[in-house]
Amino acid sequence: MNTSDTFPEIRESVRKLCAEYPGAYWRKLDRAREYPTAFVQALTRAGFLSVLIPEEFGGSGLGLSAACAVLEEIHRSGANGGACHAQMYTMGTILRHGSAEQKKKYLPKIASGELRLQAFGVTEHTSGTDTTRIRTFAKKIGDRYIVNGQKIWISRAEHSDLMVLLVRTTPREEAARPTDGMSVLLVDMKASVGKGLTIKPIRTMINHATTELFFDDLEVPVENLIGEEGKGFRYIIDGMNAERILIAAECIGDGRFFIDRASAYAKEREVFGRPIGENQAIQFSIARAYVNVTAAAEMVAKAAALFEAGKPCGTEANMAKLLASEASWFAADMCLQTHGGFGFAEEFDIERKFRETRLYQVAPISTNLILSHVATHVLGMPKSF
Ligand SMILES: Cc1cc2nc3c(=O)[nH]c(=O)nc-3n(C[C@H](O)[C@H](O)[C@H](O)COP(=O)(O)OP(=O)(O)OC[C@H]3O[C@@H](n4cnc5c(N)ncnc54)[C@H](O)[C@@H]3O)c2cc1C
């Protein structure tokens, strides 16, 4: 079975929903850098953002490959799941590591959309990819943690009720290992803004609602600690595999969008008295994009299947993200080139998707860091850092 044929009913319903939000909708938001509230609400109502939440907590209890199908179709339609994809998987930290009380309190409301948990605060200005060097610190005083520090690139913070926040609770130099001494706190955003939390939006080349966060004696109740104090790094790593696989699925959707658009245009655009698609130079780059995306989709499906089976999948999740993000970028460049000057016109949506798909070679993990993982963890080469 071709990977784009899985979950046909889900894919069909996602396509129908996305048809209500055509290019004009996304272009308007993109210009104003506005959040796609109506689209996110429609996805929530249709239950697409709660597919990974178990049925006992109000979700549909499906596996990661179903969630991949949802995001792939969103992206193939020309839409952008970046506004809300984290609502699907950030809850995994509570699901896997939260207490029974926390699950009961939060998961049903996340499933219904009453609560948005789609902010995930890890990256900091000075630590970059070297997460063990984060400096945001939570000091326990009585029944509160007092949080000080700052984060950068925290997406959707203004559109979330809750945030999963990684902090240090033991300084790096006092921890047994650099990965010890970090903890995960669940932050109530509405209760925190203006009371120790400041959110500053960052305007970027894409409409991604990303922000900087500043913590100045923010109080977080101790009952909002997820799992055990000091073990937060492991909890965050657990969630990253799901995130990488789902984002890889978005890249596959982007890749298919570019291939659909380029092949349609190549058949219809006539120059020198014939369709440009009659020229092999045009055909071959579209065909090459198709080959790349199809191969990457197989890797995404493999990583998702391992994740669903509860097997180790860190390497496969990383490789899927690398291959899919490069395949979508090649397809983006090909599609723009195939459209000639029209590729630059906003109304074709190609320049917007071109900008959007570029992100995924940098976030949530950059290509070099994936190659470093493969070189050292898989091929046993010496570590460079
Ligand atoms: C739009 C956007 C949204 C984001 N959303 C979130 C979010 O919601 N939450 C969150 O926590 N973070 C988020 N991020 C942050 C994202 O995960 C990081 O930008 C990404 O992991 C890269 O980290 P960095 O920007 O600090 O790059 P750096 O770590 O500063 O690296 C810069 C460059 O150097 C390369 N590099 C670094 N070290 C090495 C090495 N040892 N060998 C070879 N190359 C190296 C990297 O590959 C990269 O290309 C977002 C980023 C963006 C741009």
Side-chain angles (χ1 to χ4, degrees):
M1 183 188 266
N2 187 315
T3 56
S4 61
D5 298 336
T6 57
F7 304 98
E9 284 163 20
I10 291 181
R11 286 175 187 274
E12 183 53 30
S13 332
V14 175
R15 278 197 285 269
K16 267 196 195 140
L17 187 152
C18 290
E20 306 281 316
Y21 300 89
Y25 172 79
W26 294 98
R27 288 196 290 277
K28 190 161 171 262
L29 296 171
D30 183 62
R31 269 184 222 126
R33 292 294 190 273
E34 275 171 10
Y35 190 75
T37 305
F39 176 71
V40 175
Q41 281 171 349
L43 282 178
T44 307
R45 273 197 304 274
F48 290 128
L49 298 183
S50 57
V51 287
L52 294 174
I53 299 180
E55 282 175 295
E56 62 173 307
F57 297 116
S60 33
L62 295 172
L64 199 68
S65 45
C68 284
V70 170
L71 290 174
E72 184 189 316
E73 288 305 325
I74 289 175
H75 279 248
R76 186 175 190 166
S77 79
N80 187 353
C84 53
H85 55 203
Q87 179 79 4
M88 277 182 166
Y89 56 77
T90 312
M91 64 80 207
T93 311
I94 300 179
L95 183 63
R96 281 186 294 274
H97 307 289
S99 65
E101 266 172 39
Q102 287 170 333
K103 289 184 209 181
K104 212 170 122 203
K105 180 172 177 188
Y106 295 112
L107 292 177
K109 289 186 179 169
I110 295 168
S112 70
E114 191 183 327
L115 282 180
R116 296 229 154 271
L117 169 55
Q118 50 184 16
F120 180 63
V122 175
T123 310
E124 297 188 4
H125 300 65
T126 52
S127 59
T129 313
D130 191 357
T131 304
T132 67
R133 291 190 190 274
I134 62 165
R135 292 189 192 162
T136 297
F137 198 88
K139 188 171 180 190
K140 196 164 161 188
I141 300 180
D143 62 354
R144 323 246 111 192
Y145 283 101
I146 309 297
V147 182
N148 281 288
Q150 56 192 61
K151 297 273 173 188
I152 190 165
W153 306 121
I154 309 310
S155 304
R156 304 161 295 270
E158 295 169 295
H159 305 281
S160 277
D161 301 296
L162 298 167
M163 169 172 61
V164 162
L165 178 69
L166 187 69
V167 292
R168 273 227 163 260
T169 38
T170 305
R172 191 177 191 267
E173 45 290 357
E174 288 170 27
R177 285 174 301 179
T179 49
D180 290 341
M182 283 180 268
S183 304
V184 171
L185 299 178
L186 193 61
V187 176
D188 179 336
M189 300 299 275
K190 301 275 162 358
S192 304
V193 172
K195 294 184 188 144
L197 171 64
T198 307
I199 306 180
K200 199 172 152 212
I202 308 175
R203 195 176 162 96
T204 60
M205 69 187 257
I206 53 172
N207 185 17
H208 203 83
T210 199
T211 68
E212 273 180 292
L213 304 181
F214 299 90
F215 305 95
D216 185 11
D217 287 336
L218 172 71
E219 294 186 16
V220 178
V222 286
E223 66 256 27
N224 285 22
L225 173 74
I226 301 194
E228 279 180 58
E229 193 179 283
K231 297 202 171 154
F233 184 76
R234 260 148 277 167
Y235 304 157
I236 291 290
I237 291 284
D238 275 359
M240 284 178 171
N241 288 334
E243 179 182 49
R244 284 170 202 179
I245 297 167
L246 290 168
I247 284 176
E250 294 188 340
C251 294
I252 298 298
D254 282 345
R256 297 198 202 281
F257 165 89
F258 292 122
I259 293 162
D260 292 344
R261 288 294 181 96
S263 43
Y265 189 75
K267 285 177 213 156
E268 132 214 326
R269 169 74 171 166
E270 292 199 5
V271 184
F272 296 109
R274 59 183 183 168
I276 56 168
E278 260 183 55
N279 302 301
Q280 286 190 324
I282 298 280
Q283 285 176 2
F284 285 5
S285 65
I286 302 174
R288 163 106 29 212
Y290 180 81
V291 172
N292 292 346
V293 168
T294 306
E298 291 297 326
M299 193 71 222
V300 178
K302 180 176 180 186
L306 287 172
F307 184 94
E308 282 177 358
K311 295 192 178 148
C313 65
T315 297
E316 289 77 7
N318 272 313
M319 294 200 296
K321 210 283 288 180
L322 183 149
L323 290 173
S325 62
E326 291 188 347
S328 73
W329 178 240
F330 179 89
D333 194 45
M334 169 283 290
C335 188
L336 192 109
Q337 193 71 16
T338 303
H339 281 74
F342 289 110
F344 292 82
E346 281 184 357
E347 63 170 304
F348 279 69
D349 294 312
I350 289 155
E351 59 81 34
R352 173 178 59 81
K353 293 287 282 179
F354 176 94
R355 287 183 276 118
E356 287 172 356
T357 211
R358 184 60 180 83
L359 173 66
Y360 295 129
Q361 287 176 79
V362 171
I365 178 85
S366 59
T367 304
N368 276 0
L369 270 291
I370 294 177
L371 292 173
S372 165
H373 169 92
V374 172
T376 56
H377 287 78
V378 183
L379 303 175
M381 287 191 238
K383 285 194 168 179
S384 66
F385 56 88

